[in-house]
């Protein structure tokens, strides 16, 4: 989530390499995933919870502190109405952006409330959070996502030393050219 408004993006009109990278989408993320994955039948509602909460927390190495409903965990909870219809637009989102990458996308399903640490923070389009109520969550390094990568890294990504590679010369080389 690194947004630039249309004036900032216009800097690249003559040269696309000068367009600042980034679009909005953090506010729309839960709705777009529901529409494109659950409403299409690619995910079940339970898979939606796993993908957007549990798996996300595991990827960022903060599970079970986040992404898990249990004593000692600090999960935020949403109330989701799977039948509420709405249209994504720059005119209705809460960002200061004058554009929306999902402009005009019709969605069925909407977050109607958010509860964090026992407090109602969001309900029916109104934000109740006060400045300073959020908390920084440090992300530890080396989560489970990287365990598998580390095990295979040397064998798959670092070229192995084999010694000199034989080069065929003469008649064998000419025969190989004809095969190509």
């Amino acid at each position: 989530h690194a947004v630039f408004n249309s004036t900032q993006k216009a800097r690249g009109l003559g040269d696309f390499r000068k367009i600042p990278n980034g679009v909005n989408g953090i506010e729309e993320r839960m709705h777009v995933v529901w529409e494109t994955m659950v409403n299409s039948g690619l995910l079940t509602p339970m898979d939606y919870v796993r993908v957007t909460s549990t798996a996300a927390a595991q990827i960022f190495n903060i599970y079970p502190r986040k992404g898990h409903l249990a004593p000692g965990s600090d999960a935020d909870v949403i109330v989701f109405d799977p039948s509420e219809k709405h249209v994504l637009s720059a005119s209705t989102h809460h960002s200061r952006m004058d554009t929306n990458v999902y402009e005009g996308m019709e969605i069925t399903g909407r977050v109607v409330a958010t509860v964090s640490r026992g407090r109602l923070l969001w309900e029916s389009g109104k934000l109740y959070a006060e400045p300073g109520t959020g908390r920084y969550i440090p992300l530890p390094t080396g989560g489970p996502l990287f365990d598998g990568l580390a095990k295979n890294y040397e064998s798959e990504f670092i070229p192995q030393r084999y010694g000199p590679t034989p080069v065929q010369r003469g008649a064998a080389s000419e025969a190989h050219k004809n095969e190509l």
Side-chain angles (χ1 to χ4, degrees), residues 17 23 30 36 70 81-83 86 89-90 100 108-109 111 124 159 177:
R17 295 172 300 168
V23 295
M30 299 293 278
T36 59
D81 181 345
S83 62
H86 59 113
S89 174
N100 189 312
T108 301
V111 175
S124 301
K177 274 190 211 176

Side-chain angles (χ1 to χ4, degrees), residues 132-147:
T133 58
R135 284 191 301 176
Y136 174 75
I137 306 289
L139 303 178
T141 59
L145 175 69
F146 299 99
D147 286 346

Side-chain angles (χ1 to χ4, degrees), residues 97-179:
M97 284 296 300
D98 59 349
T99 61
N100 189 312
V101 70
Y102 301 109
E103 188 68 40
M105 185 174 187
E106 296 178 9
I107 303 284
T108 301
R110 185 178 215 153
V111 175
V112 294
T114 303
V115 177
S116 179
R117 297 192 322 264
R119 292 189 196 119
L120 181 65
L121 296 183
W122 174 266
E123 186 177 33
S124 301
K126 186 164 176 21
L127 181 64
Y128 296 102
E130 298 292 326
T133 58
R135 284 191 301 176
Y136 174 75
I137 306 289
L139 303 178
T141 59
L145 175 69
F146 299 99
D147 286 346
L149 292 176
K151 290 175 188 166
N152 295 327
Y153 182 76
E154 285 190 19
S155 63
E156 293 184 22
F157 300 109
I158 297 177
Q160 300 298 312
R161 306 278 184 231
Y162 297 110
T165 303
V167 177
Q168 295 181 355
R169 302 190 193 286
S173 178
E174 287 300 315
H176 180 67
K177 274 190 211 176
N178 293 334
E179 290 174 9

Side-chain angles (χ1 to χ4, degrees), residues 84-103:
E84 187 171 332
K85 295 181 183 297
H86 59 113
V87 177
L88 300 179
S89 174
S91 65
T92 57
H93 67 204
H94 296 85
S95 171
R96 293 184 199 149
M97 284 296 300
D98 59 349
T99 61
N100 189 312
V101 70
Y102 301 109
E103 188 68 40

Side-chain angles (χ1 to χ4, degrees), residues 16-29:
F16 78 92
R17 295 172 300 168
K18 295 180 181 176
I19 300 172
N21 294 320
V23 295
N24 67 296
I26 198 81
E27 177 179 348
E28 297 84 358
R29 171 180 67 94

